[in-house]
Amino acid sequence: PLALAMSGSADAPALLEQLAASSLFTDRREGPPAVFVFHALFAQFLRRRFERAQSIEQQRALLLRAGRLLMDAGETDAGLQRLIEAQAWDEAVQAIAQSAPRYAADGRVQALRGHIGALPAAHAERLAYWRGWCALDSAPALALADMAQAERDGAATQDAAAQLAAAAGAATALVSTGRVRDLDPWIELLTAHADAVLAAHDDDTQM
């Protein structure tokens, strides 16, 4: 279905079946639906040929289309990679923000960090909370700076849930670094925003 949607060609499914049946660098994996996988070198060859034949604008348009199709199909990692390759920064930031809670729930910190790190710095700053969340265990001092930025962003938009989440993350980072004496301002923020968030029944609030 993805090949059909991406190519717009009714012949795409039959072509994939033919390639797999002939063992032409294509594997068919059973499942609902069947999945076809190109050999890595064959995929690279096709990608290079595509890049030589298409303008930069055409490449980005097709990458953007692929990214959207993959995201809709639940192929989040591949979809985000294509959005980033297409330099669709605003859409990539939004997609990462929407997908981040699932990455967190699945414990996929490295994957989430990789997607955020692939963004230009100015756009990655918009994901300060999640970038900080990824660093809580490995670099709590850096996480604290990101949580402070996330709290400022939440204050600017009057987003109590965002401020609460950032305060919780900052408190975690401070405890990890042994800076317990610096907790008071963050505890005040937690206290100030907890009631408002609970009253709104915001089940999506993290941490």
Side-chain angles (χ1 to χ4, degrees):
L2 279 173
L4 181 60
M6 185 65 201
S7 67
S9 171
D11 296 332
L15 177 57
L16 289 171
E17 291 281 7
Q18 180 182 349
L19 289 171
S22 303
S23 298
L24 293 175
F25 310 107
T26 306
D27 292 330
R28 187 183 197 276
R29 299 179 183 175
E30 297 300 329
V35 174
F36 295 85
V37 181
F38 292 145
H39 185 281
L41 290 177
F42 185 46
Q44 184 178 22
F45 164 76
L46 293 175
R47 181 69 176 266
R48 296 294 176 263
R49 184 173 179 179
F50 162 73
E51 290 172 350
R52 289 195 299 269
Q54 304 292 329
S55 68
I56 295 297
E57 291 75 15
Q58 289 173 317
Q59 292 179 42
R60 288 179 180 172
L62 287 172
L63 286 167
L64 179 59
R65 183 178 176 187
R68 290 170 175 170
L69 287 170
L70 287 164
M71 293 296 297
D72 289 343
E75 298 289 344
T76 307
D77 283 326
L80 289 175
Q81 183 178 350
R82 296 298 174 267
L83 292 177
I84 290 169
E85 289 175 345
Q87 299 183 15
W89 306 126
D90 290 338
E91 193 163 338
V93 167
Q94 183 178 4
I96 293 172
Q98 292 174 346
S99 304
R102 174 53 56 190
Y103 279 96
D106 293 343
R108 302 189 61 217
V109 177
Q110 293 294 338
L112 179 56
R113 180 187 290 120
H115 290 310
I116 296 173
L119 297 170
H123 295 278
E125 288 294 325
R126 296 162 58 189
L127 295 165
Y129 170 76
W130 287 111
R131 186 173 62 183
W133 184 87
C134 289
L136 279 173
D137 289 335
S138 59
L142 293 177
L144 180 60
D146 276 331
M147 292 301 176
Q149 179 61 53
E151 194 283 323
R152 290 192 293 271
D153 293 341
T157 58
Q158 298 183 339
D159 187 336
Q163 289 179 273
L164 180 65
T172 301
L174 285 169
V175 171
S176 297
T177 55
R179 295 169 55 186
V180 179
R181 293 181 180 180
D182 296 330
L183 280 171
D184 287 348
W186 295 103
I187 291 174
E188 291 177 6
L189 282 171
L190 286 167
T191 303
H193 297 297
D195 290 342
V197 172
L198 290 173
H201 302 289
D202 187 351
D203 294 332
D204 293 329
T205 301
Q206 299 298 308
M207 301 188 64

